[in-house]
Amino acid sequence: GQQLNQSPQSMFIQEGEDVSMNCTSSSIFNTWLWYKQDPGEGPVLLIALYKAGELTSNGRLTAQFGITRKDSFLNISASIPSDVGIYFCAGWATTSGTYKYIFGTGTRLKVLA
Amino acid sequence: EAQVTQNPRYLITVTGKKLTVTCSQNMNHEYMSWYRQDPGLGLRQIYYSMNVEVTDKGDVPEGYKVSRKEKRNFPLILESPSPNQTSLYFCASSLRTGGTEAFFGQGTRLTVV
């Protein structure tokens, strides 16, 4: 099935470091969304992007909607221990006139204090 | 409080014993979907529904059934569970199809022995 390619798969970083992850697709997306999943919980929305080229910040998080509409990245600045979790990109894909909400494979982030 | 409620949170069952995982949302959302989450595979869509009585297969529908008789409820049915359906399941809803964020339930951890 259709899925978004997300990289890296996992990251181990020191507290205070910046983090960057990205998501690519072979097809065009009209919306890109980034979610975070804490252990034992469902994913929660971090940032939503609705226009190609859009750059949006939410506190220490910054995300961009790629100009080609086939990619997006998420940056986390000055990481802290509570940033630990799995980060997913997501978007709405259209196939034969129907919409599916699909997710990337996830980036597992671990922050070392 | 706006939320998506799944039940049960944890379930251990035996092969072949029919089970239902319930999902209910109180936000009057049109779009609802079910995902399974397995290590390294991200969130894969099982089934989705664009509105009452409108359901369609996602990427991994085999062994599952759904129904959408009311807007708020979207149960997931496993008629004859097998061990390969052991997974973490999430229900999600969105205001409408295309372009909006998804709200997730807390997840159901299912073990089939």
Side-chain angles (χ1 to χ4, degrees), chain B residues 42-107:
Chain B
L43 289 154
R44 294 181 294 167
Q45 193 177 56
I46 302 170
Y47 268 95
Y48 65 96
S49 169
M50 292 196 283
N51 216 322
V52 176
E53 303 289 6
V54 181
T55 63
D56 208 347
K57 296 176 181 178
D59 295 319
V60 288
E62 292 77 22
Y64 305 94
K65 282 175 57 177
V66 293
S67 69
R68 187 93 181 272
K69 296 188 174 124
E70 312 162 274
K71 202 168 188 179
R72 64 184 294 128
N73 295 324
F74 190 45
L76 179 70
I77 302 156
L78 283 72
E79 295 270 3
S80 183
S82 61
N84 65 12
Q85 292 179 298
T86 292
S87 187
L88 179 58
Y89 291 87
F90 287 101
C91 177
S93 74
S94 301
L95 178 61
R96 64 178 188 277
T97 299
T100 62
E101 71 172 287
F103 293 83
F104 283 82
Q106 294 278 66

Side-chain angles (χ1 to χ4, degrees), chain A residues 55-85:
Chain A
L55 182 72
T56 297
S57 293
N58 178 7
R60 293 180 295 107
L61 277 60
T62 302
Q64 183 156 32
F65 192 145
I67 288 290
T68 64
R69 294 164 66 188
K70 292 184 178 181
D71 62 342
S72 176
F73 72 74
L74 174 71
N75 287 343
I76 305 172
S77 62
S79 57
I80 58 178
S82 62
D83 289 334
V84 165

